[in-house]
Amino acid sequence: MSIAVFASGDGSNFEVLVEKSRRQGWPEPVTLMLTDRPKAQVLERAKRLGVTAVVFNPSDYETKAAYEQAILSVLGEFGIRRILLAGYMRIVGPVLLEAYRWRILNIHPSLLPAFQGKDALEQALNYGVRWTGVTVHWVDEGIDTGPIIEQKPVLVEPGETVESLRRKVQFVEHNLYPAVVRKWLTGKILPPDGRESGRH
Ligand code: GRF
């Protein structure tokens, strides 16, 4: 049984998840990276790290359900038990959610429920908050709405720019996400329905 990371962009979180899973000898390794973008930078990282990468371009499928069914069969082939979203810019649909209920986590660059959706860093800066942060949460049918597992704050300093804030937020993400996943793998974090679903 192993873990898949879904990513659409740069893939820095994917990389730290792979590195820490190896260095710390996680009981379930990260064995698959899935992207919806054929040109995503994360593909280079997967190659460098020697992690199998698959591209599922939604425009190759007639419906979202067909797209997710195709993903599901590959996840089955790889024996994937848990999914980590790391900058995956799509809403997870009912097909994947039902098959992986409470076995999908996401990381979001704000203190949810503030600043859900895209451009969370820009939203926080535009709003003028003094503190923002990072949230790891279970994935449900909404956009960044699932039950919160862990949060860490990040101070917004005078003169902060999107880029400077991104660096600070990502530094926190790169520590928080692997730490939460490790706890989940060792049974220290239980799903919201209170039991480990071991099948799939
Ligand atoms: C992260 O900030 C994450 O919180 C958000 O998307 C970004 C992905 O960054 N969901 P990367 O691709 O892991 O570098």
Side-chain angles (χ1 to χ4, degrees):
M1 289 298 170
S2 54
I3 300 172
V5 176
F6 286 19
S8 303
D10 183 48
S12 68
N13 281 282
F14 162 68
E15 180 155 352
V16 293
L17 288 163
V18 171
E19 278 176 349
K20 293 212 174 161
S21 73
R22 289 176 176 170
R23 210 179 312 141
Q24 298 172 348
W26 289 1
E28 295 173 38
V30 178
T31 56
L32 187 67
M33 191 284 293
L34 183 146
T35 184
D36 57 328
R37 301 211 175 143
K39 292 189 176 154
Q41 190 61 34
V42 66
L43 285 161
E44 298 300 317
R45 294 192 195 251
K47 200 169 165 190
R48 178 159 45 77
L49 292 162
V51 174
T52 304
V54 287
V55 180
F56 279 88
N57 190 342
S59 59
D60 294 341
Y61 300 87
E62 292 216 334
T63 62
K64 185 171 186 124
Y67 167 70
E68 291 200 339
Q69 281 295 350
I71 290 177
L72 209 54
S73 59
V74 167
L75 298 181
E77 278 169 36
F78 277 81
I80 299 299
R81 183 164 128 109
R82 309 180 200 241
I83 298 170
L84 306 174
L85 307 186
Y88 180 65
M89 301 302 285
R90 270 175 201 282
I91 300 167
V92 178
V95 170
L96 274 172
L97 274 179
E98 272 166 36
Y100 283 86
R101 176 59 74 182
W102 306 134
R103 284 187 285 147
I104 310 176
L105 302 191
N106 183 42
I107 188 156
H108 184 76
S110 76
L111 294 175
L112 290 172
F115 312 128
Q116 294 162 328
K118 279 201 268 184
D119 304 325
L121 300 174
E122 287 87 340
Q123 290 185 56
L125 277 180
N126 291 340
Y127 200 93
V129 289
R130 294 279 290 128
W131 289 91
T132 185
V134 174
T135 303
V136 178
H137 66 95
W138 302 100
V139 173
D140 67 5
E141 34 288 300
I143 302 175
D144 305 318
T145 54
I148 290 168
I149 300 172
E150 189 61 272
Q151 296 186 299
K152 281 269 186 306
V154 172
L155 182 63
V156 182
E157 288 163 283
E160 199 82 73
T161 64
V162 174
E163 270 324 304
S164 64
L165 186 58
R166 189 185 318 279
R167 277 194 294 277
K168 282 156 56 174
V169 163
Q170 290 223 321
F171 179 80
V172 172
E173 290 186 338
H174 295 166
N175 288 296
L176 186 66
Y177 209 5
V180 169
V181 175
R182 195 181 188 192
K183 281 190 194 163
W184 185 30
L185 294 178
T186 52
K188 292 183 188 108
I189 289 169
L190 292 178
D193 62 1
R195 67 187 156 79
E196 274 286 342
S197 50
R199 286 200 297 144
H200 192 80

